[in-house]
Amino acid sequence: MSYTDAQGIADFLTTEAESAYGPIPADVGKQILQKMATAFASKVKAQGLEPVPKKPKRHKKARADQSVMGTNDASIVSKRDVERCYGYPLPHVYRNFVTKPKRRSPLIHRGYWFRMFAIEKVVKRFLSEASEKRKVVLNLGCGHDALPFQILAKENEICRNTTFVDVDYPSLIAAKAAIIKEKDELRDLLDKIMDSKNPKVVPLRSEQYLAVGCDLRKIDQLDQILRAELPLQKCKILVVAEVSITYMDLDAADAIVSYAAGLGDVRFCLLEQILPAGPSHPFAVQMQSHFEKLNTPLKSIHRYPTPKHQALRFKERDWSSVSSRSLWDLWCDSRFISARERSSLNAFEPFDEWEAFALFASHYILLIASNTAKATAVDYHTEATYLSSDDTTNGCDANEAAFVPDTRMPHQPKETMRTHAALYKGRRDEFYHYGGFGEMKRLDTTDVYTPKHTTPYYDGRLPSAIEPRMCHTATTLPHRNQDGSYDCLIVGGRASPEHALADCWLYRDHTWQQVESLLQGRYRHSATTAVDEDGDQIVLIYGGRSSDGRALDSWLYWHDKLGWTEIICEDSSLVPRFGASMISSGPNTGVLLGGMSEDGIVIPEFWKWEIDFSLEPPRVKLSTHCFSSVFLQQTVCRFGATICSGPSSIFVVGGVAHYGCLPRTYEVLELLPDSFDVQPMDLQIKTFKGVPVPLLIGHNSVWDGEGLAIIGGGAVCFSFGNFSNIGVWRLCQDGRIEYNPWYLCLEKDQIPRPEPLPKRIKLTINNRYDGSDDPGTAPTPVSRQRLLRDGRFERIVNKSEPAVIEGLGLGPCTTRWTTEYLKRQVGPERQVTIHQAESRDMNFQKKNFTYVTKAFGHFIDEISAGQIQYLRSLSKTEPAGSPANFARDYPHIAADFKLPAELQMVTQSLHSSVLRISGPVAMWLHYDVMANVLCQVRGMKRLLLFAPSDMSNLQIPYGESSSSINVFAVDALRSGSLAKTHPLEVVLQPGDVLFIPPLWAHSAFPTDGVSVAVNIFFKNIATGYAAGRDVYGNRDIQAYEDGRRDVEKISKRFGGIPPAMRKCYLERLAAELLVKAAKVGAS
């Protein structure tokens, strides 16, 4: 045995050790072998033998090549997840190249989806062109990209007389060819795999596909291989380079561009990174740092930082027609991607990272070049209009002289990183920064700042008991109270993008109190102050986004005595939007600018508004304002900007424009209130003492008396990492920039609790009931629990108290079940029987509703528009004779809903499963005899529940299960018989599962539009249920039904007895029953 035979040595040492010591545990054996190997090496050295030479270190160039090849893995994993989550038709070709799939974020999904969409669109357009020539799609630096197989699988008709050629490093291509040969799903898409003349260079060859292993820096070798395999001069060629040649040295990458121009009839499709706002923009810094850490620096971006530079690059290399546009520019062009295609993405997963998506798409271009006069690049996507000069888009070095020192004291605590929070003013000079999204979650905390080193008042901090939120508004009312404090109104916001909040909170008299909720939850709405005709301060809101992803167009105002009232807007040209900026310029006038449409386009509109409070209801009058250039119009009218008033002007800060990433010189604008003349406030700096300049996304801004203060903000920079703004920045009137001029105050443990809802005049939108009232004595919240171990649910059931079970997971229904998806899957023409009510308080006793049969699609459209209707699904085959079975009754959506394994008790004792879809209507107060779980899928729903011990106060007739009391009516819980009850309350969110025990009376009302739930009834007792048919699960148990008949018989037995005696004996019997009931309760 040679000492150079490492495996032989290892086997020998292992055998010897085991013969001496017996079987050896793995960890011990490893230590022994290491010691024996060390001793062996020492002996070799002592005998003067030559050691086995070490493997030479890889050359720097080889390491760089390996790093570039490594980028293939992350890209393919992301594309595979898009293929899986975004409804791609089978076969899913990317799965063949991904051994360890990973779940990506919605932002990465959308970014990669659009990358894939853009490349596919160009390739399909090329393949669809009429031509007698053979077509070649030459994919340079393709890695394991499955583009050829995706096109072959989905668009086989346009692939006739076409050859796809994948080119990359030989080792990468060899591995790819092996996978294709191994996987039937891929191999079967190729008509015939032929023997290759040179398998090391072309490891896979067929009529439709060539796999070519060649370093792209070796152009001569590449040209020789291609010409040996294809008659290039007789072909029509599309060259694709998707984020590949940017990793090459510039001369080599430019040589590829020049080489491709000489191949004959050629188009070139280039997708790679750019620097639209210069290298110092925070997103650009994060992106460059990411690739440098991977040892794959982006080498083209500094010489070709903009679409214009990239276009010149190609024109200088003999490409006759070039169109170069950012991906964001293409996203906004309905000729490239239609509004329907943009909107359709919302059906796959909720999405609300629009600023981050705009930044990503602004930093990538899609360039199309052609070297023939017959076909121009404009055929593929419309020629770009360059809105800004390069002078305004490149960053510059930091100017430290422009700053004053950091005023933060050494002991000052670190602020909470938060984006999409709200900023409001307290007493004296303090500011409160509330809510938003932190480093890992949505926040319910508040940071307190003061410009001076004084002790602030802490009573302006919101109680942590309020649900964490982001994308809400906090509007400080301008009138200052005698003690120096200001009133403030918090409105709406969201938890997840499909969970819009409707609750509102008022800060007044140093305490927070909940006030009337919105009729419909909303987030990313616009809010400002105004003055009504009586001189009272009001809060005005417009637009926003609902839980189902719709952009809203309603105008509302809040008055402290009237609650919320609708304002009528008669201008139909104002399209629904969210994320717009609004501010008042007079008592009842102001401006509204920008915002985003429902399909994700920034709206470059500037509106002046005026409210006429003399009309009933009030009316808003609108007029437009146009700026002197398209660039200025699109720069002022943004999405996600903050807006605030200074001493004599209006400031517009941050956000994203219709054309995407804002130039640094235009991120902060000063507008004169009458003429709306625009003055940019230059923020072109990189860092201050190591602190990077803020990313003006998700931030807040305010005029603090000395300058424009900017706090919070940041964004997820696609897959490149998070960027969070640090500290407070102030832009002073004299041009100075101050860092941390505010003092972050220390935490205070005691935070005031919110007051219950005060008595107030109830006037909702159009005086309609909204089901949002809370009682004076607040109901007890239903407990929320997680099932951490087996058997926990059984204990919850046995305890016989309601409980919300969190974190179970109900399957893809919580993301898929939009109204459009349900219509499509269930079938818009399917006939369903629904409750059509006369008012929002359905009453089973009074029958103030009718049963109507109509098309499912019409029902969904009507409840989405606010009509008062309710669907409680029935058995499809025997609606009057059998309990509902969701899986059998709605098979096309049943697979989306998964009852968690932790609830197997429900499955094992199943009685019925019901689909419930509700518009804005309250279900009457009733109890069920069957135990049940209510699984909330879409929207939010508020429930009030009453224990069986409250039954005598609920006015439920004997022998029935429904009450005529409207528990959501004003003052209902603090008056009449309900004042003696002890209700529980819960607001269900998507994914919540509420256990409702038998005989717990309950009533429910949706709080934010359409509510969708699955209600599953099950038997939690072994015997005793009533014999015979029980379709709804609310038939009383057999003993009670028998007992009621016995009561009637007993009463008749006292016939002929004088009334006084009969009454006495019946009361004694009733008392005896009560004693027995008490004993049961005590046991």
Side-chain angles (χ1 to χ4, degrees), residues 117-132:
F117 173 90
I119 294 292
E120 281 186 45
K121 189 176 184 73
V122 172
V123 174
K124 290 177 185 177
R125 175 62 193 266
F126 170 75
L127 296 177
S128 299
E129 291 177 353
S131 176
E132 295 181 358

Side-chain angles (χ1 to χ4, degrees), residues 18 25 65 74 154 226 275 284 293 416 541 552 567 581 678 806 873 973 1063 1078:
E18 288 185 346
D65 290 349
K154 294 193 299 184
L226 294 177
L275 301 172
K293 288 177 182 177
T416 306
I541 69 169
L552 305 175
I567 298 175
S581 303
V678 179
E806 300 178 316
S873 69
L973 297 181
K1063 180 175 182 292

